[in-house]
Amino acid sequence: MNNKKEDPSGMESLVDTWMKSMGEFWTGMASTWAGAPTGNPESHAKDSGIGNKAQETMASALKNWQIISAAMAEPESMASLFKGAGVMPEILSQMAQSSMGSLMEMQKKMVERVGRMGDTVEAYRFEGIEENLFGVWSDIYDKEFRQFFQIPQLGLLRTYQEKTNQVVDKYNQFQYQLSEFLSLLGLPFNRSIKVMQDKLAEMAEEGELPNDANVYYQMWIKILEGHFMTLFQTPEYVQALAKTVNALSDLSGAKDSFFEDLLNSLPVAKKSDMDDMAREIYELKKRIRLLEKNQKRS
Amino acid sequence: MPQVKIPVDLIMTKMAQDAERIQSRAKNASEVLLDNLDTDLAKTPFEVVYQEDRVKLKHYIPKTKTKYKTPLLVVYALINRETMLDLQPGRSVVERFLESGIDLYMIDWGYPTRKDRFQGFDDHINGYMDNVVEFIRHRHKVDKVNLMGICMGGTFSVIYSALHPDKIKNLVTTVTPTNFDTKKGLLHVWMENLDVDRVVDTYGNLPADMMNYGFLLLNPARLMIDKYVGFMENVDNKKFVENFVRMEKWIFDSPDLPGEVFRKFIKDCYQGNRLIKNSLMVGGERVDLKKLTMPLLNIYGKYDHLVPPEACELLTRSVGSKDTEDLCLKTGHIGIYVSSKFQEAFAPKIAGWLKERDGKRRKKRAAKALIKKAVIVPSEKEGKKKVTAKRTTKKSAGRTAGISKTTSG
């Protein structure tokens, strides 16, 4: 009963559970990075030689997060976290609950994806492309946030409000499509550096390390180019590119529509007015040219 | 654990040397960049002899006596500018053609604005191109011209030649996509999924910046990183900087692409592959490649990532002409025109090929033939030829002019 009074929405226990499971998740991550068996003995053996520094830094960062999340999951911390939140109106609380639900879903998907991490990074291969989390963001946006911009508008200004909402919605959609696209463009950089590290390790073992920095650069740019060429032919990239172009077009369309309304009150021609006129002139010119030709023939 | 041998001392020595070199380069670079750089493009003298809306026809001032009976019309793509063929003195396809004695014309498509968004294939091919060809025919009193198309301009030239075979003597296509059903070029892969209607309906014309981003994304490692690393390595070399800036000027001097041209190019060519299937419709007429009966020289680049050989090489097998030749150069899309090495192979090859097929001057014979047709077959189609004959004879000798008066009266 007491609990119910202090935490009517159940938020505290929800976040408590989330923080705990986040702690467990990051513990798992830390042990994966620290070199715990990943189910892929080859990659484990390969990783143990190189990139130790990066792994150590990552492991240390993960450990810090683990400590912070464990501390946050303590009942005292949670109580203090929600001390101010108790005064939140019911509607805000519901929105937060919805967001938390989304975060839980994202975390679940992250855990699923983390299970696949630790595989070897092979040169010029992008099978693991679906590991990026932007699909999750778009799911969350579509399920949880987008509906707010679809709420029917009422009254005299409903059309204008609807168009404003459309701009915001299209902007958000474009942003996450662009993020996904840019993240894909970042993949070849990550992979080329990893492949380069492997190559350098091999060369170091054979005592063939070049002493000219330009040779390293040429090696890397060639590897990078190869990775880009491979990425660009993957269905994931082609789809992301098409979606980004579509989202950009939709945003431009929504913006145009919004500004057309604004321009209605000003003594200037709108884009659609100019287009209509251009079409009329185009058709008139075409007719005149045809008439000229016909006249010459006769 | 094997002993790892890293030549730290050598690496450090090299780094020290590099640092010294960079310092000296930076000092010279400021002198070069602040100097008067010659970065102008398209310096070969020309005159604009015909203009219609934004489209201009350039006629290059001959350098030597014209050695060809048939003038050559070059049609560049609507993407980027025709100035690529005349980058700088000594590195110019235009210059080489003029030195060969070719009478050279080139279409400058200009910069389409929003009002041009409705202009499609028909307006460009049966409109502007046909008017330009008519102008040259009348100016030179010839019944046919030589036509050379580049990239999308090549596709236009193929379509034009199929629709107006009676006006084209020889056709030269360079890096011209005609078969779009290939996965070799990234553009072909990417365009398959493009919702072109959404883009055109929103933007009107395809914005040049969007196109440029797309082209840079075809090879970001080279076009966005390595190219500028190369520039920094040579920033103290004035000649290099001038050439580099010239290319930069050309690459980013991009007009917007008229929306309806883009829509048809993507839908009917990239997505429908209609041209090679002989099912493309332009101006209400079907484009039948079998009507290409004139000699055809088809040149393309082995390492072209925009228009791969697979997109070009089917053409010669699909046309009606028996005089065809494929020439695959070991270079890329742009290399054919801008590399001095390939210019040496490319321009004289075209000049020689045209010379072999130039034939005798047909001025009088052409005029007679046209008039004969006009008199004998007074159909609507031939009526058009009658006008042509009249125009041709207006500026020619009195004998032909007299006949034309009779026929047009």
Side-chain angles (χ1 to χ4, degrees):
Chain A
M1 280 300 272
N2 255 359
N3 268 353
K4 189 104 184 159
K5 253 186 189 173
E6 284 167 16
D7 182 18
S9 63
M11 278 298 292
E12 193 170 334
S13 58
L14 180 69
V15 177
D16 187 21
T17 316
W18 181 68
M19 289 306 291
K20 272 186 182 158
S21 63
M22 275 303 272
E24 281 162 20
F25 162 69
W26 288 114
T27 311
M29 281 288 287
S31 60
T32 306
W33 276 83
T38 59
N40 188 342
E42 251 180 58
S43 76
H44 178 56
K46 220 173 182 182
D47 287 348
S48 59
I50 34 163
N52 278 341
K53 276 213 160 166
Q55 284 188 1
E56 278 167 22
T57 320
M58 196 65 193
S60 135
L62 291 170
K63 204 174 173 186
N64 286 342
W65 172 249
Q66 187 196 343
I67 292 164
I68 294 165
S69 57
M72 287 294 287
E74 290 298 318
E76 301 81 34
S77 311
M78 292 312 297
S80 102
L81 180 70
F82 279 91
K83 206 173 173 182
V87 293
M88 275 202 303
E90 186 70 13
I91 189 161
L92 282 180
S93 167
Q94 274 174 9
M95 277 176 75
Q97 209 168 2
S98 157
S99 308
M100 277 298 166
S102 307
L103 282 170
M104 291 288 282
E105 190 177 333
M106 185 178 78
Q107 187 201 334
K108 198 178 137 204
K109 290 191 178 178
M110 275 169 78
V111 172
E112 280 170 14
R113 279 163 170 75
V114 164
R116 288 198 291 269
M117 282 173 78
D119 290 345
T120 343
V121 175
E122 283 182 55
Y124 314 120
R125 289 178 81 93
F126 284 94
E127 276 85 356
I129 219 163
E130 78 287 355
E131 278 173 14
N132 75 73
L133 293 173
F134 292 96
V136 183
W137 278 117
S138 65
D139 281 355
I140 291 168
Y141 179 76
D142 284 342
K143 280 184 195 161
E144 306 296 345
F145 293 99
R146 205 171 169 207
Q147 61 215 37
F148 289 108
F149 301 110
Q150 310 290 339
I151 295 170
Q153 302 300 315
L154 307 170
L156 185 66
L157 300 176
R158 67 165 300 283
T159 318
Y160 305 112
Q161 185 55 46
E162 213 165 65
K163 286 188 178 177
T164 311
N165 287 353
Q166 279 293 305
V167 174
V168 180
D169 180 33
K170 299 295 175 197
Y171 175 78
N172 290 335
Q173 284 187 60
F174 171 64
Q175 283 304 319
Y176 72 64
Q177 288 301 346
L178 184 67
S179 307
E180 182 183 355
F181 181 65
L182 292 177
S183 83
L184 284 178
L185 282 181
L187 279 179
F189 288 96
N190 296 338
R191 307 236 165 166
S192 65
I193 287 168
K194 179 73 179 67
V195 172
M196 185 78 183
Q197 280 176 342
D198 290 348
K199 260 198 162 172
L200 289 181
E202 268 174 40
M203 290 170 91
E205 276 175 20
E206 288 161 18
E208 285 174 358
L209 275 180
N211 54 21
D212 187 351
N214 195 38
V215 178
Y216 292 97
Y217 167 73
Q218 290 301 335
M219 265 169 66
W220 173 71
I221 202 85
K222 212 172 167 188
I223 295 168
L224 181 66
E225 188 181 18
H227 275 98
F228 268 122
M229 289 304 140
T230 315
L231 171 74
F232 288 162
Q233 306 212 27
T234 58
E236 288 86 354
Y237 177 83
V238 175
Q239 216 176 10
L241 176 69
K243 278 184 185 171
T244 310
V245 173
N246 287 346
L248 180 63
S249 302
D250 289 349
L251 173 61
S252 294
K255 268 197 305 188
D256 283 353
S257 176
F258 173 79
F259 282 116
E260 288 242 326
D261 284 344
L262 283 184
L263 287 173
N264 262 336
S265 57
L266 298 173
V268 289
K270 295 176 290 180
K271 221 175 190 178
S272 57
D273 297 333
M274 298 306 289
D275 279 347
D276 286 346
M277 202 157 75
R279 184 183 277 281
E280 275 175 32
I281 292 172
Y282 166 76
E283 279 165 5
L284 276 172
K285 269 177 136 176
K286 218 171 173 177
R287 283 182 66 184
I288 290 169
R289 277 175 190 150
L290 190 71
L291 285 169
E292 269 178 353
K293 274 194 177 177
N294 287 342
Q295 197 191 16
K296 274 176 193 169
R297 276 180 199 167
S298 61
Chain B
M1 180 110 180
Q3 182 75 34
V4 175
K5 296 163 206 159
I6 302 173
V8 180
D9 51 339
L10 285 175
I11 292 173
M12 295 304 286
T13 314
K14 193 79 181 40
M15 278 175 75
Q17 286 170 356
D18 285 349
E20 267 176 46
R21 219 178 16 246
I22 288 167
Q23 209 173 2
S24 128
R25 193 185 294 154
K27 190 172 160 268
N28 295 336
S30 62
E31 284 166 20
V32 169
L33 295 173
L34 294 171
D35 199 2
N36 283 330
L37 294 171
D38 176 14
T39 59
D40 289 343
L41 289 95
K43 282 176 147 182
T44 307
F46 65 86
E47 52 180 346
V48 174
V49 290
Y50 174 85
Q51 181 159 7
E52 187 180 352
D53 303 334
R54 65 185 148 87
V55 180
K56 290 176 189 150
L57 178 65
K58 291 175 174 180
H59 178 237
Y60 288 90
I61 313 294
K63 284 196 163 187
T64 57
K65 195 173 170 245
T66 305
K67 294 171 190 162
Y68 292 73
K69 276 100 190 170
T70 316
L72 172 66
L73 170 65
V74 176
V75 181
Y76 196 77
L78 277 154
I79 298 160
N80 282 97
R81 305 257 302 147
E82 77 294 342
T83 47
M84 188 195 66
L85 293 175
D86 189 24
L87 274 184
Q88 67 188 91
R91 200 156 68 114
S92 159
V93 174
V94 166
E95 207 174 50
R96 283 178 191 272
F97 279 161
L98 293 178
E99 281 162 5
S100 308
I102 292 176
D103 204 350
L104 184 63
Y105 289 86
M106 185 137 57
I107 292 183
D108 170 0
W109 292 114
Y111 293 86
T113 59
R114 200 166 170 95
K115 76 176 168 55
D116 298 311
R117 63 176 293 188
F118 303 107
Q119 292 187 340
F121 271 38
D122 183 36
D123 303 287
H124 285 85
I125 296 167
N126 291 320
Y128 296 130
M129 264 180 88
D130 191 42
N131 292 342
V132 161
V133 169
E134 282 296 299
F135 174 84
I136 299 171
R137 286 189 345 142
H138 297 150
R139 193 173 199 230
H140 288 262
K141 301 174 180 64
V142 290
D143 58 343
K144 291 182 178 185
V145 301
N146 289 330
L147 186 61
M148 174 178 156
I150 294 163
C151 190
M152 183 200 227
T155 311
F156 278 12
S157 299
V158 167
I159 297 169
Y160 182 83
S161 303
L163 294 175
H164 307 272
D166 53 319
K167 296 179 186 177
I168 302 301
K169 188 172 175 64
N170 300 295
L171 174 64
V172 181
T173 51
T174 62
V175 296
T176 294
T178 43
N179 168 38
F180 297 83
D181 187 14
T182 169
K183 300 272 182 205
K184 294 278 172 161
L186 283 176
L187 275 186
H188 294 262
V189 177
W190 294 355
M191 291 307 135
E192 266 179 26
N193 289 284
L194 186 77
D195 185 351
V196 65
D197 288 334
R198 198 167 347 189
V199 175
V200 174
D201 292 346
T202 308
Y203 291 101
N205 295 331
L206 180 70
D209 286 342
M210 199 187 259
M211 250 188 298
N212 280 335
Y213 279 127
F215 289 133
L216 290 179
L217 283 178
L218 287 167
N219 195 346
R222 297 285 172 197
L223 301 176
M224 290 160 92
I225 302 173
D226 194 44
K227 194 173 91 171
Y228 297 102
V229 170
F231 175 73
M232 292 312 290
E233 279 174 354
N234 294 283
V235 70
D236 53 343
N237 177 342
K238 191 178 175 188
K239 271 260 166 302
F240 180 91
V241 171
E242 285 178 340
N243 288 345
F244 191 93
V245 174
R246 240 179 245 125
M247 275 308 286
E248 286 287 279
K249 275 187 174 179
W250 174 75
I251 288 168
F252 297 110
D253 177 15
S254 314
D256 292 349
L257 182 61
E260 292 309 318
V261 168
F262 181 60
R263 197 195 303 266
K264 195 167 179 73
F265 200 46
I266 299 301
K267 278 187 149 178
D268 287 2
C269 296
Y270 275 96
Q271 293 172 352
N273 196 24
R274 288 178 174 274
L275 180 58
I276 207 78
K277 292 179 188 165
N278 291 327
S279 62
L280 181 73
M281 299 295 291
V282 174
E285 251 189 279
R286 189 171 66 87
V287 180
D288 182 1
L289 294 181
K290 291 286 174 217
K291 287 188 178 168
L292 284 176
T293 48
M294 68 290 297
L296 167 66
L297 173 61
N298 185 32
I299 303 176
Y300 48 90
K302 190 177 178 185
Y303 307 116
D304 190 338
H305 60 285
L306 283 175
V307 184
E310 289 76 8
C312 308
E313 59 199 7
L314 269 187
L315 178 66
T316 45
R317 278 174 262 165
S318 311
V319 297
S321 173
K322 284 178 183 153
D323 180 5
T324 64
E325 185 179 339
D326 280 316
L327 176 63
C328 182
L329 298 172
K330 288 183 178 171
T331 183
H333 194 68
I334 306 294
I336 288 182
Y337 314 99
V338 299
S339 143
S340 306
K341 185 185 151 196
F342 285 103
Q343 272 182 19
E344 276 167 26
F346 165 80
K349 167 71 193 177
I350 294 173
W353 186 86
L354 288 175
K355 187 77 187 163
E356 282 169 24
R357 289 155 184 82
D358 195 35
K360 290 177 183 172
R361 189 180 285 273
R362 302 178 65 189
K363 190 172 77 179
K364 286 179 186 171
R365 212 150 46 92
K368 273 185 191 172
L370 288 170
I371 293 155
K372 203 174 171 188
K373 276 183 193 170
V375 173
I376 294 168
V377 191
S379 66
E380 193 191 347
K381 196 173 179 187
E382 293 305 325
K384 192 176 167 188
K385 289 189 187 296
K386 188 162 67 174
V387 177
T388 307
K390 182 187 160 193
R391 276 189 179 177
T392 307
T393 51
K394 252 186 181 176
K395 290 174 191 169
S396 56
R399 189 171 63 91
T400 8
I403 298 166
S404 90
K405 269 180 195 167
T406 315
T407 52
S408 62

